[in-house]
Amino acid sequence: MVIGCDSHSKIKTFNMKKTTQLYEGKAKKVFLTDDSNLVIQEFKDDATAFNNKKKGTIAEKGIVNNAVSCKLFAMLEENGIRTHLVEKLSDREMLCRRLDIIKVEVVVRNIAAGSLVKRYGFAEGTVLERPIVEFYLKDDDLDDPLMNEFHAVALGVATLEELAVLKQRAEAINALLRKFFAERKLKLVDFKLEFGRHNNEILLGDEISPDTCRFWDLETNEKMDKDRFRFDLGSVEDAYSEVQRRVLDLD
Ligand code: TMP
Ligand code: ASP
């Protein structure tokens, strides 16, 4: 049981409980609550990569990703970015505003890695003079294809005005996150964001965690994120808990 009140809209979260399960994704479950405006995200230890082709578990990942996401969303809110976070309810549960999710995954890249290297032939580690913002269609059946504004509008997943907001918001979030991680001796290589509509506003949703970002150690360039799982690099749990330690400023 948690007694709380979020600072923006004075939501009373006294004794907020999960009711019906709304959705189960690869890494999280989402539950309805007694308040139709609020949902609870529950973070799982299940890990998938390459759109479910590789499956496994990362012990305590759900706890790390919830803690890291709550801390980062709170930091972003303090800096004027509206998010779905209401409050952290427990180790694995985040109370959130309910969103109408926009079916666009927004990826921001500061350093070439992953699919950017594969698709365009950049050398891994190339520092991009200007961050690249990409849109992907959020559709597992189609393997989340890369798309531009024309595709998104034609598909009816977002309006041009909304896409402009997503791009501008993603760049602002990137500036805040880069500074936050640099102070914690991590390079923010790239990351994925999801947004949703809530009462005529666009809010940042989903999570920001080692599952959805690439982090390299500032000094050694050691990979500290889900790439350790994707490519069987070992020490996956250690990397996740080290990111948590740095993000939460523990010892
Ligand atoms: P990519 O290089 O594989 O396109 O990934 C770019 C970033 O987006 C990386 O930080 C991982 C994140 N990401 C997700 O969070 N979910 C996904 O389904 C994919 C493909 C990438
Ligand atoms: N999240 C995606 C999956 O579950 C892809 C990835 O993160 O590599 O397959």
Side-chain angles (χ1 to χ4, degrees), residues 38 135 145 147-148 150 173 178 186 218 226 237-238 251:
L38 300 178
F135 295 135
M147 65 177 177
N148 65 26
F150 291 90
I173 292 167
R178 276 173 76 154
L186 287 171
L218 199 65
K226 196 170 150 189
E237 282 86 359
D238 289 349
D251 48 69

Side-chain angles (χ1 to χ4, degrees), residues 105-134:
E105 298 195 355
V106 184
V107 169
V108 183
R109 302 178 184 273
N110 296 306
I111 297 173
S115 70
L116 192 77
V117 167
K118 270 200 174 160
R119 186 174 290 118
Y120 299 104
F122 284 98
E124 189 185 58
T126 306
V127 176
L128 302 166
E129 219 163 282
R130 195 183 156 192
I132 294 175
V133 180
E134 296 173 335

Side-chain angles (χ1 to χ4, degrees), residues 107 109 113-115 136 144 190-192 211-214 230:
V107 169
R109 302 178 184 273
S115 70
Y136 292 83
D144 296 347
D190 56 33
F191 57 98
K192 184 260 302 178
D211 268 14
T212 62
C213 304
R214 287 194 173 94
R230 291 190 186 98

Side-chain angles (χ1 to χ4, degrees), residues 96-114:
C96 305
R97 295 176 183 81
R98 187 175 180 181
L99 301 182
D100 164 25
I101 281 286
I102 299 174
K103 293 198 173 306
V104 177
E105 298 195 355
V106 184
V107 169
V108 183
R109 302 178 184 273
N110 296 306
I111 297 173

